[in-house]
Every structure is written in C-alpha cells, then in structure tokens.
Amino acid sequence: MNSSPSAPPTALTAHRTTRPPLGPSWFAAVMGTGIVANAAVTLPWTFPGLRTGAMVVWLGAALLLVLLAAGYLRQRALRLHAGDPVMAQFLGAPPVALLTVGAGALLLGRPLIGNEAALGVDWVLWSLGTVLGLVTACTVPYLMVTRHRFAPDAAFGGWLMPVVPPMVSAATGALLIPHAPAGQLRLALLLACYAMLGLGLIAALLVIALIYGRLIHHEAPSGAVVPTVWIGAGALGQAVAALGALAAAAPSVLPAPYAQGTVVFALLGGLGVWGFAMLWLTLAAGLTVRTIRTGLPFAATWWSFIFPVGACVTAGNSLAAQTGSVAFKWIAVASYGLLVLAWIVVAGRSALHAAEHLCHRVVAGRARHPAVGTAPRGDGTTPVTEGVDAGARPATEARRTGLDPTAEVVVAAALAADER
C-alpha cells in the first residue's frame, strides 16, 4: 500500500529494454515556461525587448508541449500513473500546460501567425485543456476516495494539482469572452468560467486545509517534496488573476448592476485571497530555505517554484490594474524579476538532467547490446550480431520501477542472475 509521499516505491515488473515512463509532472515545465512569457504581457510597465523575449519563451513552451505530449501519448502509461497515489496528482499538469500555451498564442503569437490563427489555436487548446482539466478534477478525487489509500501524513502540495486546472480555465477563458459570439454563447462562457473558478477555488481551499493540518501535526516535509508546498500560493494567486480577468470581461456580457458587482467582488475578494496567498508564500519560502540548508535534490518538483510565482505576478498585476496602486505595480515587477531568475535556474538544471539521462541511456544501451563477431565486410562496414555475448550464461532479469515523492519515475538497475 502506497499511502504517503514518503512511502517506498511500489514494485512493478518490466522487461529491461522498456524505457521508464515519462511522468506527467514534467508538463509543469511547460506551465512554468509559458507563464514566464504570459506574465510579461500583463506587467504595468513595458521594458525594451521584453515582449520579443517573451515571444521566444512562448515558442519554447509550445515546442516543449508538443514534444512532451507526443512522448507521453506514445508510451501509453496513463493507467499506470492513475493507479499510483502520488503520480495521479500530477495528471493536472498537462491540462494547465495546454491552457497556458493557448493563452500565450493569443497574447504573444499574433505577430507570428496572425490574428485568426492565434485565436483558433487558443480556442482549440483552451477547449482541450478545459475538458481534460474538468475530467482530472473529478476523476482524481474519485480515485483517491475509492482506490487509493493514504496515511495521516500523506497530504502534500501535489494534491492541489488536480483541482487547479478549472481555475486556469477561468482565467484564460476570460481572454476568449470578447471573441465569443454575442448573446447566449458569450453569456454561457462567462458563467462557465465563474463556475469553474468556484469549483477550483473551493476545492483548493479544502486541500490547503488538509496540507496545513499535515504540516502542523506531522514532521515537516523534506527533500524534493518541499517545492510542492508552493503550489498552494499558485492556486490562490490564480484565483485572484481569474477574478480580475472575468471582471474586465463582464461588462460586455452582464447588465450594469451585475457587471459593477463583479468589479467589486474582484477587488475585495481578490485582496483577501492575495493576503492569504502571501502568508502561504512566506510559509513555503521558509520551508524551502530550511530544506536547502540540509540539501534539496533536483527533481521535476522544482518546477513547482515557477508557476506559483508566475500566478502571484499575474495576481499583483490584476490588483494593480484595478486599484492603480503603485505599490502593487512594484510588487508585480519585482516578483517577475524573481520569476525569471528562478526559471533560468530550474530550466538550466532540467536541461542538464535531460542531457545526463540521455547519455546514461545511450551508454546503458551499448552495454546491454555488445557487438560480437564484428569482422569487417568487404564494403568496409561492420556487421553487428544481435543478442548477447556468445559466452554469456542465460540469466533472468528484472527491473523494478516505482513512483517516488518527487513524482519522477525511478528505475532500478537490471539484476542478472550472475550478478546476485
């Protein structure tokens, strides 16, 4: 029974030539890269070259989304991931990745692909991300109730991932409201966005209460689980940004009294939620500093630093636009500077991790398939005999794979009979 993020990996059996499954947690790299680009557009002040740089970053996020989606669909590991209590939580990352890249197409992609194409891309990615996000928000909690079993200290920041996508759909859907046909369709889109905001925010508050109880009543998290605590601040910041975006879109849909009410709700409600987000952000930062002193191993969860900070940037920008507060403008700009620095560090470590993993795979592949009988042909090429060395003894092999609390797939080395 895998009942806690600190529980040992579940043993699985596979052929040694099977590649380790790509975990959905790596879609957080698309989320983080995309929000670095999108948040630049919402800043209260413009800086030379910022929009061009944001466009390049958005293109990188779009390319990464295509590569990860192709790799994830090809491996057909969805059932494996859904059955694991830890990995299932990160199934919320792919929908948010789709929504983030789609919003970037509308905000940054127009000079490259044109207005109609950018709008079409956003509609497609938003629709797909919204459907997948709603499925995840309903399915993962159902699996947690009916199939997964958890210890009292099992709650961690990753539990927020399944319920965050509807809030992202609400915030990014607000960008599409002016482009929807006037009348009932536009009204339906606005109301659906508010409903998804309520779904995600209330569910997130319930999960945050569970995480806070775990932090209070049990030992503080350690290792690569710690960055997931930041997801709480991201969920709250996303709610503030969604409130502001929907209030800006409401006047084209709702009559005057209700449209004005959305503005009041966005300001007063947004300020209250933003204050709670800053409290959670402070708690997450303190736990992170504490963990860094003892060692913070790199994992896919490092991307949990990026999207939450980006969500807080967009929340600050939203409140600055509503209030005209210079203080919020400076907070947003300073937060964006920290966001870019953090993204550079995490992206660099991720690229290094990917390069090391690729090199290890190539070396391991060569070691498992040594060439024998390599007498040159007459054309100068060298034939490679399939199989193992002629003198090798038959061996039974097993590979154990499991899902650790960092939401990465851990692959143990193959165990041959003559190595035991």
Side-chain angles (χ1 to χ4, degrees):
M1 178 177 67
N2 191 352
S3 60
S4 161
S6 59
T10 304
L12 302 172
T13 303
H15 191 272
R16 74 171 186 173
T17 59
T18 301
R19 292 181 178 180
L22 172 70
S25 58
W26 283 106
F27 281 88
V30 180
M31 296 166 48
T33 302
I35 204 166
V36 168
N38 296 349
V41 182
T42 66
L43 291 176
W45 298 310
T46 58
F47 301 92
L50 180 60
R51 193 176 187 89
T52 301
M55 187 184 304
V56 173
V57 174
W58 169 73
L59 287 173
L63 177 61
L64 184 59
L65 174 63
V66 173
L67 295 176
L68 289 177
Y72 190 78
L73 293 175
R74 184 172 60 249
Q75 67 186 5
R76 299 179 181 179
L78 178 60
R79 181 172 296 181
L80 170 68
H81 294 154
D84 185 271
V86 175
M87 186 67 81
Q89 309 302 324
F90 294 90
L91 291 174
V96 179
L98 291 168
L99 295 167
T100 306
V101 173
L106 195 60
L107 294 171
L108 295 163
R110 295 183 182 184
L112 293 176
I113 60 179
N115 292 334
E116 293 185 3
L119 183 59
V121 169
D122 193 14
W123 272 116
V124 171
L125 294 182
W126 183 84
S127 301
L128 182 58
T130 297
V131 171
L132 290 178
L134 290 174
V135 170
T136 302
C138 296
T139 303
V140 174
Y142 176 79
L143 292 175
M144 294 173 69
V145 171
T146 59
R147 295 190 181 184
H148 301 160
R149 294 295 179 267
F150 301 96
D153 63 342
F156 74 116
W159 283 17
L160 287 162
M161 288 300 298
V163 299
V164 165
M167 281 195 291
V168 182
S169 291
T172 55
L175 299 175
L176 292 170
I177 290 175
H179 302 283
Q184 288 299 312
L185 289 178
R186 187 177 296 182
L187 175 62
L189 180 58
L190 176 67
L191 297 180
C193 287
Y194 268 112
M196 289 187 290
L197 172 60
L199 184 162
L201 178 57
I202 295 175
L205 291 175
L206 292 175
V207 176
I208 288 174
L210 293 174
I211 297 172
Y212 186 72
R214 179 254 185 268
L215 295 175
I216 294 297
H217 295 291
H218 302 279
E219 292 184 3
S222 60
V225 178
V226 172
T228 64
V229 180
W230 290 68
I231 300 176
L236 298 170
Q238 192 64 54
V240 176
L243 285 171
L246 291 173
S252 65
V253 184
L254 299 177
Y258 300 103
Q260 186 62 29
T262 62
V263 175
V264 176
F265 181 48
L267 177 58
L268 299 183
L271 284 172
V273 175
W274 182 85
F276 183 32
M278 294 302 102
L279 170 63
W280 196 266
L281 194 66
T282 303
L283 175 61
L287 290 173
T288 302
V289 172
R290 177 179 180 271
T291 306
I292 289 175
R293 293 175 178 174
T294 58
L296 180 61
F298 174 77
T301 52
W302 275 35
W303 284 100
S304 300
F305 293 129
I306 308 304
F307 191 86
V309 176
C312 291
V313 172
T314 57
N317 289 330
S318 176
L319 293 174
Q322 294 176 65
T323 61
S325 169
V326 176
F328 271 117
K329 292 180 180 179
W330 279 110
I331 290 173
V333 172
S335 299
Y336 185 76
L338 294 175
L339 171 66
V340 172
L341 291 176
W343 175 77
I344 291 173
V345 172
V346 176
R349 288 297 303 271
S350 299
L352 181 61
H353 173 81
E356 291 176 349
H357 181 68
L358 181 61
C359 292
H360 175 74
R361 179 179 296 175
V362 172
V363 172
R366 291 176 178 175
R368 287 196 299 263
H369 302 283
V372 295
T374 55
R377 292 195 182 109
D379 58 0
T381 61
T382 302
V384 178
T385 302
E386 294 184 357
V388 296
D389 193 354
R393 294 181 287 111
T396 58
E397 298 170 351
R399 166 175 289 177
R400 293 175 297 138
T401 63
L403 304 176
D404 69 355
T406 67
E408 290 185 299
V409 176
V410 180
V411 182
L415 301 177
D418 57 346
E419 295 175 344
R420 293 171 182 165

